[in-house]
Amino acid sequence: MKKVALNVGEYQGVTYYSDNEEERYLLKAIRDPEVDKSVTVIMLNPTTTEEALADPVVQKFIHYFPNKAGKVNIVNLFPFRENHIHQLDEHMKGQNMRDFSIIKQNLHMIKLAIKDADEIILAWGSLPDGFSEAHYHTCIRDIVHLIRVFHKTNHCYVFEIEGQKSLLTWDNHPHHPREGKIKGLQHVSELWIEDGCLVLRFQ
């Protein structure tokens, strides 16, 4: 794994890549090291943006947390760096032992980010067109398991997105911040897996 230091404007950060930098496992943005509060955001997959902290979507929600968090950890369901989500499935086809180790390493980094978090923002969006439902729901199931293991259920939130009538997408997943302006956070009171699918309940 390759660790790369970042510095964009007022933010410092660290990115953890695979050795060939085709995968990104964790992006840690540090706004104020004196503030103890840590937020973890779980999205779908990272982009190929060279300077990860300069990614427009990353900038959008980092700016949403001014003075609210000293550190923001960004992890993804899948670590593959891809700008076009409809092509994400290509990274999962014909899996071999290397692919398995990539997914295993990614889950380990998600585990560390969840364990470290005071707040966890679920933000991966809808199932991409053509993507394997099995891979998608298996990864979500693993994340729900980790949230429960570390007793973080009461620390979970979703983004409220301007222009979206529901807190969830059409297929009942938390909105991705690329879908619009973030207008708030909604606390998740309960989450579980039912018939293989995620269920979220709000207060």
Side-chain angles (χ1 to χ4, degrees):
M1 188 182 301
K2 184 183 293 186
K3 181 179 178 181
V4 178
L6 303 171
N7 195 334
V8 177
E10 61 190 297
Y11 298 100
Q12 295 181 329
V14 179
T15 301
Y16 294 84
Y17 291 111
S18 58
D19 290 338
N20 60 12
E21 296 192 16
E22 291 182 2
E23 294 82 32
R24 191 184 80 205
Y25 297 112
L26 171 67
L27 170 59
K28 188 189 298 279
I30 302 169
R31 182 181 176 88
D32 186 348
E34 300 299 316
V35 177
D36 290 334
K37 185 175 180 180
S38 174
V39 174
T40 288
V41 182
I42 307 175
M43 296 194 291
L44 180 64
N45 75 289
T47 67
T48 59
T49 302
E50 202 64 36
E51 194 67 76
L53 279 177
D55 183 288
V57 173
V58 172
Q59 283 284 309
K60 181 187 295 187
F61 62 73
I62 286 180
H63 283 300
Y64 178 76
F65 294 111
N67 307 317
K68 298 179 181 179
K71 178 174 61 180
V72 180
N73 293 314
I74 301 157
V75 290
N76 294 273
L77 298 187
F78 303 99
F80 308 109
R81 300 176 70 194
E82 174 59 64
N83 292 337
H84 307 288
I85 60 172
H86 63 277
Q87 295 180 4
L88 188 58
D89 199 45
E90 294 299 319
H91 295 272
M92 298 295 292
K93 289 180 179 176
Q95 288 195 61
N96 52 39
M97 286 305 292
R98 177 176 177 273
D99 294 316
F100 178 76
S101 67
I102 288 170
I103 297 300
K104 188 175 180 180
Q105 180 64 59
N106 190 57
L107 190 60
H108 175 69
M109 298 304 281
I110 293 173
K111 174 182 176 180
L112 296 180
I114 288 174
K115 184 179 180 181
D116 181 54
D118 297 299
E119 292 181 358
I120 300 167
I121 317 298
L122 311 178
W124 48 77
S126 294
L127 172 70
D129 291 341
F131 192 75
S132 165
E133 286 191 46
H135 289 315
Y136 186 72
H137 291 300
T138 295
C139 191
I140 293 170
R141 181 198 66 203
D142 290 340
I143 288 171
V144 170
H145 172 71
L146 290 172
I147 289 171
R148 289 182 171 276
V149 164
F150 292 112
H151 307 289
K152 300 282 187 172
T153 300
N154 197 44
H155 298 251
C156 291
Y157 298 81
V158 299
F159 285 126
E160 293 184 63
I161 303 294
E162 194 170 284
Q164 299 291 344
K165 296 180 179 179
S166 171
L167 291 170
L168 301 175
T169 64
W170 66 272
D171 54 350
N172 293 318
H173 287 282
H175 286 291
H176 192 288
R178 67 169 173 265
E179 297 175 34
K181 182 179 179 180
I182 299 169
K183 66 176 185 179
L185 291 174
Q186 179 65 47
H187 183 248
V188 176
S189 58
E190 293 183 69
L191 77 164
W192 68 93
I193 299 296
E194 186 173 294
D195 296 328
C197 297
L198 176 70
V199 179
L200 297 175
R201 180 173 292 171
F202 303 99
Q203 290 179 324

